[in-house]
């Protein structure tokens, strides 16, 4: 029995796939040729360097982009990010609206789960998810990548609040 199975033994949980719980979005890099994208930017733009230098719970990034560089919507505050290319499984909780580069995938709770699931629980559970990503990635030489379709299949145990004694 795995550590997780032992921990959850006798506990009522419901296993939910990642794509049931989260909106999943890959990041991008705005064109470096367009100076207006990178001048006087106020929008946090996260990369692996942010996690390596500033930790796993972040309010701001090292680099910022301008609103003219944004395609679509910002990723909402209290979302998780995870590296899904090269350095797999490194993750962080972001406390402000943001964007990421293409090495990072973001996970934002879907409406039915906002206020019902503790994002800190999910943040800690992402340590296990990160290990799973490393073990299940497509590897080509020294480069490892895990795609969104594979990420969507991962299941997270969600404690059932209907029986607080469990």
């Amino acid at each position: 029995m795995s550590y997780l199975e032992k921990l959850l033994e006798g506990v009522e949980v419901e296993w939910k796939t990642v794509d049931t719980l989260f909106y999943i979005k890959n990041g991008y890099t705005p064109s470096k040729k367009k100076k207006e994208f990178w001048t006087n930017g106020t929008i946090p733009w996260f990369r692996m360097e942010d996690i390596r230098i500033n930790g796993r719970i972040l309010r701001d990034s090292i680099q910022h982009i301008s609103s003219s560089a944004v395609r679509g919507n910002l990723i909402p505050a209290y979302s998780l990010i995870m590296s899904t290319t090269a350095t797999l499984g490194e993750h962080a909780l972001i406390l402000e609206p943001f964007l990421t580069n293409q090495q990072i995938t973001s996970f934002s709770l879907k409406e039915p789960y906002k206020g019902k699931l503790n994002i800190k629980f999910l943040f800690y559970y992402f340590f296990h998810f990160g290990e799973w990503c490393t073990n299940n990635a497509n590897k080509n030489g020294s480069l490892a990548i895990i795609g969104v379709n594979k990420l969507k299949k991962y299941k997270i145990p969600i404690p059932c609040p209907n029986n607080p004694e469990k």
Side-chain angles (χ1 to χ4, degrees), residues 73-136:
N73 297 318
L74 296 179
I75 301 159
Y78 296 93
S79 292
L80 296 161
I81 62 172
M82 181 185 293
S83 174
T84 52
T85 304
T87 308
L88 294 175
E90 293 295 322
H91 69 281
L93 171 61
I94 311 298
L95 305 176
E96 301 293 331
F98 66 97
L99 289 174
T100 69
N101 76 356
Q102 61 276 7
Q103 185 181 1
I104 295 176
T105 301
S106 64
F107 301 83
S108 305
L109 276 175
K110 290 183 176 180
E111 284 304 317
Y113 301 100
K114 285 184 180 177
K116 293 182 181 174
L117 293 179
N118 185 319
I119 196 68
K120 275 281 191 89
F121 164 77
L122 295 166
F123 165 76
Y124 286 110
Y125 199 81
F126 264 48
F127 284 100
H128 188 273
F129 186 22
E131 286 179 29
W132 180 88
C133 289
T134 300
N135 294 331
N136 289 278

Side-chain angles (χ1 to χ4, degrees), residues 15-152:
W15 293 84
K16 298 275 188 181
T17 59
V18 169
D19 68 328
T20 299
L21 300 174
F22 296 101
Y23 294 109
I24 303 170
K25 181 178 179 181
N26 286 329
Y28 64 93
T29 298
S31 174
K32 298 279 187 171
K33 293 178 183 176
K34 295 193 174 191
K35 291 187 191 260
E36 67 269 20
F37 288 176
W38 298 94
T39 305
N40 299 320
T42 58
I43 298 166
W45 183 69
F46 288 95
R47 302 169 298 148
M48 278 301 302
E49 185 177 7
D50 291 288
I51 297 171
R52 289 181 183 131
I53 292 174
N54 294 319
R56 293 188 184 272
I57 299 178
L58 302 168
R59 285 202 176 275
D60 203 4
S61 61
I62 296 166
Q63 291 187 326
H64 297 82
I65 60 173
S66 67
S67 59
S68 62
V70 177
R71 291 187 267 163
N73 297 318
L74 296 179
I75 301 159
Y78 296 93
S79 292
L80 296 161
I81 62 172
M82 181 185 293
S83 174
T84 52
T85 304
T87 308
L88 294 175
E90 293 295 322
H91 69 281
L93 171 61
I94 311 298
L95 305 176
E96 301 293 331
F98 66 97
L99 289 174
T100 69
N101 76 356
Q102 61 276 7
Q103 185 181 1
I104 295 176
T105 301
S106 64
F107 301 83
S108 305
L109 276 175
K110 290 183 176 180
E111 284 304 317
Y113 301 100
K114 285 184 180 177
K116 293 182 181 174
L117 293 179
N118 185 319
I119 196 68
K120 275 281 191 89
F121 164 77
L122 295 166
F123 165 76
Y124 286 110
Y125 199 81
F126 264 48
F127 284 100
H128 188 273
F129 186 22
E131 286 179 29
W132 180 88
C133 289
T134 300
N135 294 331
N136 289 278
N138 299 324
K139 295 176 176 106
N140 185 3
S142 62
L143 181 64
I145 297 173
I146 189 154
V148 171
N149 286 336
K150 197 174 271 189
L151 290 171
K152 288 178 178 181

